[in-house]
Amino acid sequence: MLLLSIIVPIYKVEPYLRKCIDSLLAQDLFSDEYEIILVDDGSPDNCGKIADEYAAKFGNIRTIHQENGGLSVARNTGIFAAQGKYIQFVDSDDYLEPNVLGSLVGRVERDNLDVLRFNYRNVNEHYEEFEPNKESRPYMDYSVTVCSGMEFLNERLGYACYAVQFLIKASIVKDCLFKEHILFEDTQWTPRMLRKAPKVSSMPDVIYNYLSRGGSITKADDIGKQRKIVESKLSLITDLQEQMRSCADNRWYEGMIAGTLISVIGLLSGRLYRERRIYLGRLEEMDVYPLSTYHLSKTGRRKAVLINLSPKLTCFLLHLKNQQ
């Protein structure tokens, strides 16, 4: 029986791809128990050739080539092709610890879970562990007890919404595709997925290695890209507001909206400062105040309180701090 489908979207990651795929092969499941679906999303480098090389050598690897559509499109392509009982997402510049899939699948099978969340570590381009923004690392609860998806969302998830941290029943994933052509797709998708899951739990074990590298649009200094980030965050807030209308317990949504707005204010205090009035006016119209402080870090709570007093003043004070 095919237990697991691992979906790997691929785009411009040639220096990292072999390490990623090798880590998926160095596992404690038999090759006929899991498949690796490599989705070449129109990568202009040699990633497609590397993927085909592995697919020709290993019977449990399949490669799908398509025109570039973005991360969500590539993931959805993999979802449609997946044949396993469970689905896991791995980004093509990241990698798994060796011999961990057996324990993940075993835990899900033993407790009849719909979703299992596992722990991760950050690594740099030299594959050395590091902790970015240690003071403001998002809240997470890795309790091994089983609860509903709604309880997990509000009590345990925190605000680090990474699709790559979950092993999920395929029936749930196939009924919860990623919204395409957006940024922050994981944050839009994760609460929808969890709300479909009756039984959810966590493992505190570090399973996943998340590579932090330059070049990401979410870390861009270019003013045009920063403007795109702000627009995407405003769209995310609107999406979350729409989701929470059908939810009786909105604590997670309110906290996530607060954290997203805090990051918008941070961007407006920098290179977009001259455009702050336009965006602050749009936020006022979106009915987002007062901000919740639920499960925010200490830094986030302080900023939320200050923003609730005056978003304009907060933006000004942060702007002054940026000038120092």
Side-chain angles (χ1 to χ4, degrees):
M1 178 182 181
L2 195 61
L3 289 172
L4 176 63
S5 296
I6 303 175
I7 297 170
V8 187
I10 299 171
Y11 187 73
K12 292 179 70 173
V13 289
E14 185 177 345
Y16 315 101
L17 183 56
R18 291 184 186 276
K19 183 173 182 66
C20 174
I21 300 174
D22 287 342
S23 79
L24 305 183
L25 292 168
Q27 296 299 325
D28 52 358
L29 291 178
F30 293 113
S31 60
D32 61 353
E33 292 181 307
Y34 75 111
E35 63 176 351
I36 302 167
I37 302 174
L38 306 176
V39 184
D40 170 25
D41 191 37
S43 188
D45 53 13
N46 289 315
C47 283
K49 293 180 181 179
I50 294 172
D52 286 340
E53 173 190 322
Y54 275 90
K57 188 175 181 180
F58 297 95
N60 63 334
I61 295 182
R62 285 190 282 155
T63 298
I64 300 173
H65 300 280
Q66 64 181 31
E67 292 185 3
N68 179 247
L71 178 60
S72 291
V73 174
R75 283 178 176 168
N76 287 341
T77 296
I79 291 169
F80 293 135
Q83 298 176 1
K85 183 178 179 181
Y86 305 102
I87 287 177
Q88 181 177 356
F89 300 101
V90 175
D91 287 346
S92 49
D93 51 356
D94 300 336
Y95 60 99
L96 299 184
E97 290 293 294
N99 298 319
V100 292
L101 292 182
S103 61
L104 292 182
V105 173
R107 171 73 195 287
V108 171
E109 292 274 276
R110 184 174 64 252
D111 291 343
N112 190 27
L113 298 176
D114 299 287
V115 178
L116 177 64
R117 193 259 303 270
F118 43 84
N119 209 343
Y120 73 102
R121 66 164 60 93
N122 292 289
V123 297
N124 60 25
E125 293 192 66
H126 302 290
Y127 301 116
E128 300 165 336
E129 183 177 0
F130 78 108
E131 184 61 69
N133 305 318
K134 186 173 183 180
E135 182 183 354
S136 58
R137 178 159 184 166
Y139 167 89
M140 286 186 183
D141 181 351
Y142 285 99
S143 170
V144 298
T145 58
V146 179
C147 65
S148 70
M150 276 303 306
E151 181 179 345
F152 189 93
L153 177 66
N154 283 298
E155 301 290 349
R156 302 184 191 175
L157 176 64
Y159 302 120
C161 298
Y162 305 133
V164 296
Q165 266 195 282
F166 297 98
L167 190 147
I168 315 159
K169 274 188 178 176
S171 57
I172 290 178
V173 180
K174 289 178 181 289
D175 191 41
C176 189
L177 298 177
F178 287 86
K179 186 174 181 178
E180 298 181 352
H181 310 302
I182 64 170
L183 297 180
F184 313 111
E185 57 280 307
D186 285 15
T187 305
Q188 198 275 347
W189 173 84
T190 300
R192 291 192 290 114
M193 179 273 293
L194 287 171
R195 289 172 63 176
K196 294 179 179 292
K199 297 181 68 176
V200 184
S201 188
S202 291
M203 286 179 63
D205 311 62
V206 172
I207 302 295
Y208 196 92
N209 293 281
Y210 176 81
L211 179 66
S212 181
R213 60 189 177 97
S216 169
I217 188 172
T218 57
K219 301 175 183 177
D221 291 327
D222 177 81
I223 191 168
K225 292 181 178 179
Q226 288 202 354
R227 193 177 292 116
K228 182 177 180 180
I229 293 171
V230 170
E231 292 289 349
S232 297
K233 286 180 180 289
L234 296 183
S235 295
L236 174 61
I237 290 173
T238 300
D239 262 330
L240 295 177
Q241 287 177 320
E242 179 63 29
Q243 288 186 38
M244 66 190 285
R245 290 191 181 100
S246 60
C247 184
D249 187 344
N250 289 326
R251 289 174 296 165
W252 181 88
Y253 284 105
E254 290 169 350
M256 187 72 237
I257 288 171
T260 304
L261 190 145
I262 289 169
S263 67
V264 169
I265 297 291
L267 289 167
L268 297 181
S269 68
R271 300 193 66 184
L272 294 175
Y273 189 67
R274 291 184 178 180
E275 303 174 33
R276 68 192 183 283
R277 291 186 178 87
I278 296 173
Y279 287 113
L280 289 175
R282 288 173 59 182
L283 286 169
E284 188 70 34
E285 294 173 358
M286 293 171 66
D287 191 26
V288 291
Y289 304 111
L291 300 185
S292 168
T293 60
Y294 186 67
H295 279 173
L296 295 182
S297 65
K298 290 181 179 179
T299 301
R301 288 196 297 270
R302 288 196 297 267
K303 289 181 178 178
V305 170
L306 185 56
I307 290 171
N308 285 336
L309 290 174
S310 173
K312 292 180 181 179
L313 176 62
T314 305
C315 194
F316 174 70
L317 292 175
L318 290 175
H319 178 68
L320 289 181
K321 184 178 180 181
N322 290 336
Q323 303 306 305
Q324 295 177 356

